Amino acid sequence: MTTIAKVKQTLAILKGAESTLEIYSIQERNEEAKNIYAETSKEINKIKKDLEKRISFMEFEEPQYKGN
């Protein structure tokens, strides 16, 4: 597995985790827990954006990886 494939796989996993945390935040009744889920989801979103930038850079540097 190439490095870019691993990074893309990590991005997909983070997207899933972010979605799950958003669902937990919506369903949670305890305000403290709800806020923790929401904050964690926001942090994952920041990491996700960084990875998306990294993937774009990797695809620019190695055009053969674009779209894989």
Side-chain angles (χ1 to χ4, degrees):
M1 183 178 277
T2 63
T3 301
I4 196 164
K6 290 177 184 178
V7 175
K8 286 181 177 182
Q9 182 180 31
T10 301
L11 179 61
I13 291 167
L14 284 173
K15 286 180 178 181
E18 180 185 30
S19 295
T20 301
L21 287 167
E22 288 173 0
I23 290 168
Y24 290 169
S25 175
I26 292 167
Q27 294 176 345
E28 183 61 53
R29 290 188 179 134
N30 179 298
E31 280 301 314
E32 183 179 358
K34 182 180 253 193
N35 291 335
I36 290 170
Y37 290 136
E39 273 303 309
T40 306
S41 177
K42 288 178 187 176
E43 289 299 316
I44 288 177
N45 187 275
K46 291 176 190 175
I47 296 166
K48 190 179 73 170
K49 287 181 181 181
D50 288 342
L51 278 179
E52 288 170 342
K53 288 178 189 175
R54 180 68 185 145
I55 289 169
S56 294
F57 177 78
M58 292 170 85
E59 289 175 340
F60 177 77
E61 289 292 312
E62 300 288 339
Q64 71 269 22
Y65 293 134
K66 192 166 189 87
N68 289 337

